[in-house]
Amino acid sequence: MIGVAVIGYGYWGPNLVRNIAEVPGARLLYVCDLMKERLAAVKARYPAVEITDDFEQVLRDPSVDAIAIATPVSTHFKLAMKAMMAGKHVFVEKPMASTVDEARRMVDEAARRRLILAVDHTFVHTGAVRKMREIVENGLGDLYYYDSVRVNLGLFQHDVSVIWDLAVHDLSIMDYVLPEKPVAVSATGMSHVVGEPENIAYLNLFFESKLIAHVHVNWLAPVKVRRTLIGGSSKMIVYDDLEPSEKIKIYDKGITLNGNPQRNGEKVYQMLVGYRTGDMYAPHLDMTEALSRELGQFVDCVERNQQPIVDGQAGLRVVRILEAATQSLAQRGRVVELEQTRRIA
């Protein structure tokens, strides 16, 4: 049995606790939080679990093999590094750190100590996103675009912008689904609340190929939208996370190009563009709760000493884009180049 402690019992912590308590091969030993009323709620629901507001107590306990961190982003680096220095495997909420430097140091520390570092990119473990990757790899043809919208009214964050709060989901999905990584990013946005971070933003991501990606995130929308479109030369995908059943729809639609453009004197004969309209189908999806699958995989990776699907490198790639987008945002959309990183399978 892998002994696990959860640090933070605020917004996401209860979901981690509930799932870890049910994961085969895991034993929930501790819940740690600074607020005593939260700890009282844990004790009422999980009487066998030790509660504490002392993180050092958790680190000193040799029966704790792994620590799941669900605290504010600004605290991730310090807590994760302390945990790894104490020999504990780490599962950390997204984004994994506040800066690229912090994320890289976390990755290096895990590698040096041969510990598992997993990042909670929950959507990667959904049946819908895993199906999207399968379709992209086998049936979309040449990729043209990735276009996502993630908007709603609230929940305003005071410590991070809408990019770090909402776009992180789309960037993690993109990192998993697309076969190539972006090489540059441009971002524009605005804050409409004095003294608060940006509440609306638009990100454009550029690739070596003709693929282009666009992400729109907004805390001031009157409706909730969670929709992604992926266009290819053969087929196109619409992913609507708010659909109760048919979250993925695949369209056999596109264009066909006939003839070749030729120059005759000063006149250019344009290529004829035709439109192809075929069937739409919605594939069957695995509806297993993503967080349950994700934590089960983390526990299994700790047990077998194997790297998870979303490891520290994947978390670092997303933080790199977030940091570059923030730089671009401050400079009204200036294109910021990204360091190339290959996909770690």
Side-chain angles (χ1 to χ4, degrees):
M1 298 290 285
I2 302 299
V4 183
V6 174
I7 311 302
Y9 198 73
Y11 173 72
W12 194 243
N15 295 317
L16 293 179
V17 169
R18 173 176 56 83
N19 279 277
I20 291 171
E22 297 173 357
V23 168
R27 184 183 173 201
L28 180 62
L29 298 177
Y30 285 91
V31 173
C32 178
D33 196 283
L34 295 178
M35 298 181 67
K36 295 189 182 301
E37 56 268 28
R38 291 178 179 175
L39 294 177
V42 175
K43 201 64 177 177
R45 186 166 182 181
Y46 306 95
V49 175
E50 188 78 21
I51 58 172
T52 181
D53 60 359
D54 184 3
F55 183 52
E56 298 295 333
Q57 177 187 350
V58 177
L59 297 182
R60 289 192 299 267
D61 193 331
S63 64
V64 175
D65 303 296
I67 289 179
I69 299 171
T71 58
V73 178
S74 59
T75 66
H76 288 181
F77 172 71
K78 180 180 179 181
L79 294 175
M81 290 295 283
K82 278 191 170 185
M84 289 188 285
M85 289 176 182
K88 315 295 186 184
H89 304 278
V90 169
F91 178 93
V92 62
E93 249 291 86
K94 79 285 181 189
M96 67 182 290
S98 299
T99 67
V100 169
D101 179 63
E102 288 180 350
R104 187 182 289 115
R105 288 169 64 185
M106 290 164 66
V107 169
D108 291 344
E109 188 70 19
R112 188 171 71 85
R113 295 180 181 271
R114 297 182 180 180
L115 295 168
I116 303 302
L117 173 60
V119 183
D120 183 15
H121 292 172
T122 315
F123 280 99
V124 167
H125 297 269
T126 62
V129 172
R130 289 187 293 116
K131 177 60 70 173
M132 273 205 300
R133 171 163 163 154
E134 178 186 319
I135 298 165
V136 167
E137 289 178 339
N138 300 303
L140 242 57
D142 297 330
L143 292 179
Y144 292 159
Y145 63 84
Y146 181 105
D147 198 327
S148 67
V149 179
R150 187 175 297 271
V151 303
N152 55 264
L153 191 59
L155 175 72
F156 272 70
Q157 304 293 327
H158 301 289
D159 56 338
V160 294
S161 72
V162 69
I163 291 178
W164 288 78
D165 179 51
L166 293 185
V168 62
H169 298 298
D170 300 288
L171 296 176
S172 66
I173 294 170
M174 190 186 310
D175 182 76
Y176 178 70
V177 168
L178 299 184
E180 59 177 312
K181 305 305 174 195
V183 297
V185 61
S186 169
T188 55
M190 191 64 62
S191 171
H192 298 90
V193 181
V194 177
E196 295 293 330
E198 291 81 5
N199 49 256
I200 180 172
Y202 302 87
L203 282 69
N204 289 305
L205 296 107
F206 306 94
F207 298 76
E208 290 286 1
S209 69
K210 291 185 177 181
L211 170 65
I212 187 168
H214 178 259
V215 177
H216 170 205
V217 286
N218 187 352
W219 283 329
L220 283 178
V223 294
K224 184 175 183 178
V225 180
R226 300 284 186 267
R227 186 176 295 120
T228 299
L229 285 76
I230 306 178
S233 59
S234 298
K235 295 180 182 178
M236 301 179 181
I237 298 174
V238 176
Y239 164 42
D240 190 338
D241 190 51
L242 300 185
E243 280 281 345
S245 56
E246 297 181 347
K247 292 181 181 294
I248 297 288
K249 293 178 180 176
I250 304 164
Y251 291 82
D252 184 11
K253 290 186 177 183
I255 60 172
T256 57
L257 304 178
N258 304 305
N260 295 308
Q262 296 179 351
R263 184 173 294 276
N264 182 8
E266 294 301 318
K267 186 176 182 179
V268 176
Y269 292 97
Q270 293 185 344
M271 186 176 293
L272 297 177
V273 178
Y275 296 92
R276 185 185 73 257
T277 302
D279 295 331
M280 181 281 291
Y281 72 95
H284 174 74
L285 303 177
D286 179 2
M287 300 305 288
T288 304
E289 184 180 354
L291 188 56
S292 174
R293 175 184 291 275
E294 183 180 28
L295 289 168
Q297 184 197 81
F298 172 65
V299 169
D300 189 59
C301 287
V302 170
E303 203 169 64
R304 299 171 182 268
N305 193 31
Q306 296 177 345
Q307 286 300 311
I309 291 175
V310 184
D311 59 4
Q313 289 286 354
L316 171 59
R317 289 193 296 270
V318 170
V319 171
R320 181 176 288 116
I321 297 173
L322 292 170
E323 187 175 275
T326 302
Q327 294 172 7
S328 177
L329 199 65
Q331 300 175 56
R332 296 187 176 182
R334 182 181 69 85
V335 175
V336 177
E337 300 293 326
L338 295 166
E339 179 185 337
Q340 292 265 16
T341 53
R342 64 184 178 89
R343 170 185 284 173
I344 307 297

